Amino acid sequence: MSSSYFTPTRVFSSAIALRVIFLLYGLLQDAYSPFKYTDIDYMVFTDAARYVSQGLSPYERETYRYTPLLAWILIPTSWPGTFWFSFGKLLFAISDVVAGWFIFVILRAPEGGAMTTERALKYACIWLLNPMVATISTRGSSEGLLAVLVVALLWAVIRRRIVLAGMLLGLSVHLKIYPFIYGASIVWYLESPAEYTPGQKSSPATPQPTNQLLSITTILKFFNRSRIILIISSLLTFISLNLLMYAIYSTPFLEHTFLYHLTRIDHRHNFSPYNTLLHLSSAAPDKVSSLKLESLAFIPQILISAILIPIALSKKDLAGTMLAQTFAFVAFNKVCTSQYFLWYLIFLPFYLPHSSFLSSPRLGILALTLWVGAQALWLHQAYQLEFLGLSTFVPGLFVSGLLFFVVNVWILGIVIQDIGERGSHAAKNEEDRVGSTKKRD
């Protein structure tokens, strides 16, 4: 593709055109093919929106496991006509493009890499011109809506719009639980300048405080103004939305929006290594051990994605850390579907420019081949099970799920190593810069 192509007008026009083509193709496939283009989740969304438009609860629709806010947003889909039924798909597709705009803006910003317009657009195209992204949103998956909120959250943090960042974080977690993992990274990232000045040492003449005073001082320094504002604004937004929904829909809101996800046993289209166990739990719940492993699956998932990775990486590269967190969260999740890949794909343009996968093309090609190949192997087993009626649970689905998990963990290890090394190099360069400045003085 010619470098002259990479102008904002051309790239974003192409991104919009791609989604329009997919939307129109989807209408044709839905009309003439027994295999529908529209995602089943979109039918759930629109049914729930129709119930809301009639003054009923969205939870009248079985399998609606989302906040009522999503159904409220999609009320126009209950109006007559094909255009209004497709309103949600249009909204999700527009959200995709807006998310791509935020990627471009962040990459151009000094805090995000200070790239040239052309280079920033090239990396933004990983999202904007990605057929998988366009397909998922135009089929009616709401992941694009979350993507724009999450990347806007990153933009607000690096630009120090802390109140806005807190509101976006609270809203994102209300819409879908997983963005809560970013809270720890953002809080850890929001240090006062004096806290992380490289090479800063205490003056020998300054008396050192006692251990008790040191601990109190450390705690007070940790809760700086930015961190306090972020915590308060995010909690106020999250709690206010939840109280409003609870006041209207009572216990079903809590049960379907939050509590259900702790014990969900979805097994269809699930790449997770827990897939076979979840199928057994779903098919014969009385015969499964009283120790429900699916209820404990979140422990290693949260430990890695919400605690260990933020502590280790967030001060080095916030966007890269959010990628690593999301990748770990999806890889270790007991339910892993193709839509979830968008959760971390939104951060890929920020990580790839400094990654081992680009600096070593062989490694990048190998990683992509293994990632796609492991999915293809799983999908082959799933096709035999769901379409041909062949029992492929063991070893087929089970082994292919484990293989995909191992590939993801290997990729995650490289991502974490890259971010850690980049942060170390940045710190060393800053120390050298400060040292040379002092020598000149």
Side-chain angles (χ1 to χ4, degrees):
M1 189 176 291
S2 172
S3 60
S4 61
Y5 168 81
F6 292 98
T7 65
T9 300
R10 290 175 179 172
V11 167
F12 284 95
S13 296
S14 299
I16 294 170
L18 177 66
R19 285 154 178 81
V20 170
I21 291 170
F22 276 54
L23 283 167
L24 294 176
Y25 170 79
L27 293 176
L28 291 174
Q29 183 172 327
D30 284 345
Y32 297 105
S33 173
F35 300 101
K36 302 303 180 184
Y37 182 81
T38 299
D39 195 305
I40 186 62
D41 285 345
Y42 191 69
M43 307 307 294
V44 175
F45 299 158
T46 54
D47 286 348
R50 187 171 64 255
Y51 281 119
V52 170
S53 70
Q54 297 169 355
L56 301 173
S57 168
Y59 302 112
E60 294 290 331
R61 201 328 179 159
E62 292 184 9
T63 72
Y64 184 78
R65 312 294 186 186
Y66 312 90
T67 169
L69 185 59
L70 181 60
W72 291 7
I73 294 171
L74 296 179
I75 283 178
T77 62
S78 64
W79 301 345
T82 302
F83 172 81
W84 289 116
F85 178 76
S86 302
F87 170 81
K89 297 179 183 179
L90 288 168
L91 176 64
F92 302 150
I94 292 170
S95 298
D96 272 355
V97 177
V98 176
W101 175 259
F102 272 110
I103 292 173
F104 169 65
V105 170
I106 292 172
L107 290 173
R108 292 275 292 123
E111 304 89 345
M115 291 185 182
T116 64
T117 297
E118 181 180 323
R119 189 163 186 252
L121 285 170
K122 286 180 179 179
Y123 283 104
C125 283
I126 295 172
W127 174 268
L128 285 168
L129 301 184
N130 191 315
M132 184 177 77
V133 175
T135 301
I136 289 175
S137 62
T138 54
R139 290 187 67 215
S141 174
S142 63
E143 307 307 332
L145 200 58
L146 263 294
V148 72
L149 290 175
V150 166
V151 76
L153 167 64
L154 174 61
W155 173 84
V157 172
I158 66 172
R159 297 309 301 265
R160 298 284 170 158
R161 309 285 179 86
I162 306 302
V163 174
L164 176 60
M167 294 173 65
L168 288 169
L169 179 59
L171 174 59
S172 299
V173 178
H174 174 78
L175 283 173
K176 189 159 284 190
I177 301 172
Y178 84 90
F180 85 91
I181 62 177
Y182 306 135
S185 289
I186 295 171
V187 167
W188 200 241
Y189 172 82
L190 290 174
E191 291 183 318
S192 301
E195 292 180 61
Y196 58 86
T197 302
Q200 186 178 21
K201 297 180 180 179
S202 300
S203 170
T206 304
Q208 298 299 314
T210 64
N211 289 339
Q212 183 178 3
L213 290 176
L214 181 62
S215 62
I216 295 174
T217 302
T218 302
I219 293 172
L220 292 176
K221 286 179 65 179
F222 178 82
F223 288 103
N224 59 28
R225 183 174 181 272
S226 294
R227 285 169 172 160
I228 292 172
I229 291 174
L230 178 85
I231 292 170
I232 292 175
S233 57
S234 60
L235 287 177
L236 281 177
T237 303
F238 179 70
I239 292 172
S240 298
L241 287 170
N242 288 339
L243 288 177
L244 174 62
M245 298 304 167
Y246 183 78
I248 299 173
Y249 299 107
S250 189
T251 304
F253 159 67
L254 293 178
E255 179 183 347
H256 294 288
T257 304
F258 297 113
L259 301 180
Y260 161 79
H261 297 279
L262 295 177
T263 57
R264 64 185 298 192
I265 52 175
D266 302 24
H267 58 85
R268 288 185 177 273
H269 315 119
N270 182 5
F271 292 99
S272 168
Y274 294 100
N275 177 52
T276 303
L277 176 62
L278 293 177
H279 183 88
L280 292 174
S281 298
S282 175
D286 297 334
K287 298 182 180 180
V288 179
S289 170
S290 58
L291 178 61
K292 295 185 178 298
L293 292 179
E294 66 269 15
S295 299
L296 304 177
F298 71 92
I299 295 177
Q301 177 190 30
I302 300 305
L303 178 65
I304 295 170
S305 65
I307 299 175
L308 298 180
I309 290 177
I311 291 175
L313 302 178
S314 59
K315 294 182 182 179
K316 299 176 179 180
D317 179 1
L318 179 60
T321 302
M322 294 170 78
L323 167 67
Q325 285 182 275
T326 316
F327 199 96
F329 187 90
V330 173
F332 284 84
N333 200 25
K334 64 184 176 183
V335 177
C336 177
T337 66
S338 298
Q339 288 95 324
Y340 295 1
F341 301 157
L342 268 63
W343 295 0
Y344 54 76
L345 188 60
I346 190 71
F347 298 112
L348 206 55
F350 309 117
Y351 160 75
L352 275 183
H354 311 283
S355 71
S356 298
F357 298 117
L358 284 191
S359 62
S360 175
R362 288 186 179 180
L363 178 64
I365 293 171
L366 175 62
L368 181 61
T369 302
L370 290 175
W371 189 75
V372 173
Q375 288 182 66
L377 178 61
W378 188 95
L379 289 169
H380 174 68
Q381 300 298 319
Y383 172 80
Q384 290 185 313
L385 173 67
E386 295 191 17
F387 288 90
L388 302 182
L390 302 176
S391 179
T392 58
F393 290 108
V394 179
L397 275 176
F398 181 68
V399 172
S400 58
L402 284 178
L403 177 62
F404 186 56
F405 175 74
V406 169
V407 170
N408 278 317
V409 171
W410 172 66
I411 293 174
L412 176 63
I414 296 174
V415 171
I416 291 174
Q417 183 177 7
D418 282 348
I419 297 168
E421 290 179 354
R422 184 187 178 196
S424 300
H425 293 158
K428 186 177 184 304
N429 292 339
E430 181 65 15
E431 287 181 0
D432 292 343
R433 185 190 65 80
V434 172
S436 63
T437 302
K438 289 181 177 179
K439 288 179 180 180
R440 288 198 301 269
D441 294 342

